[in-house]
Amino acid sequence: MSKFRSNGKREMPELNTSSLPDLIFSVLFFFMMVTSMREVELKVQFTTPQGTEIEKLVKKSLVSFIYIGQPTPQWRGKIGTGTRIQLNDKFAEVDAIHDYVAQERESMHEYDKPFMKVSMKIDKNTQMGIVTDVKQALRKAYALNIVYSASAKQKKNQ
């Protein structure tokens, strides 16, 4: 009966930490897979207008963004203070929108292409002429599902 001790005291076994590094690397790998970094460096400033009928986008992987506004202070010395269009990480003209939409559409899966949306993040002080030109270019590129970004309207306390 060497397995049982007669004095009744049990010793606590040491904690086995040999699997701890595997667990830590598994958690690290999980976070690396599910975390997405900001892909676009904003080169234009915009303050979105306020709206009342706002819906949150469900599947953001189907959304391509077009930013319209004044350049940030670091770019104003190089390209001026006029309103600019940003597609991904570079400034572009209205003519480049067709190629941008085609490129974004090609990067999607075949079954996701009909659900592609173009979100326009536009400064609230931008003239409508530029917005109309962008909308016409999107129409020619058959990007007909357009979303306008807005912030929630602040309720006034009475």
Side-chain angles (χ1 to χ4, degrees):
M1 294 251 170
S2 64
K3 291 185 182 179
F4 301 106
R5 295 187 183 164
S6 61
N7 61 5
K9 292 183 180 178
R10 290 181 18 189
E11 291 184 16
M12 188 66 135
E14 288 188 26
L15 183 63
N16 185 2
T17 60
S18 63
S19 64
L20 194 59
D22 293 336
L23 179 68
I24 290 173
F25 283 117
S26 297
V27 171
L28 178 66
F29 184 71
F30 170 76
F31 284 117
M32 286 174 49
M33 293 301 294
V34 298
T35 303
S36 63
M37 304 300 276
R38 173 172 251 164
E39 298 173 3
V40 177
E41 175 191 351
L42 292 178
K43 296 181 180 180
V44 296
Q45 293 177 331
F46 60 90
T47 304
T48 56
Q50 295 181 350
T52 56
E53 302 296 323
I54 296 177
E55 295 179 21
K56 194 164 183 103
L57 293 174
V58 177
K59 196 169 181 184
K60 288 190 176 184
S61 63
L62 301 176
V63 180
S64 301
F65 293 95
I66 296 177
Y67 304 95
I68 303 174
Q70 289 187 346
T72 56
Q74 68 187 24
W75 289 96
R76 286 185 186 157
K78 298 176 185 173
I79 62 170
T81 59
T83 302
R84 300 286 182 206
I85 301 169
Q86 180 182 344
L87 307 174
N88 287 337
D89 278 335
K90 58 186 173 198
F91 291 110
E93 297 296 324
V94 176
D95 301 337
I97 292 176
H98 188 278
D99 295 333
Y100 170 72
V101 170
Q103 177 186 3
E104 291 291 313
R105 194 174 280 141
E106 286 301 316
S107 68
M108 292 181 175
H109 293 289
E110 192 66 35
Y111 53 88
D112 285 338
K113 289 180 183 181
F115 305 109
M116 177 184 173
K117 294 181 182 181
V118 177
S119 176
M120 295 175 54
K121 294 192 173 192
I122 307 168
D123 185 50
K124 65 181 180 180
N125 297 322
T126 300
Q127 296 178 354
M128 276 305 291
I130 296 170
V131 177
T132 304
D133 292 343
V134 171
K135 285 174 37 179
Q136 292 296 330
L138 289 171
R139 185 178 295 162
K140 289 178 184 175
Y142 297 106
L144 304 177
N145 199 351
I146 300 173
V147 177
Y148 297 95
S149 296
S151 58
K153 194 169 195 172
Q154 299 294 326
K155 295 181 181 178
K156 294 180 182 179
N157 293 334
Q158 296 180 0

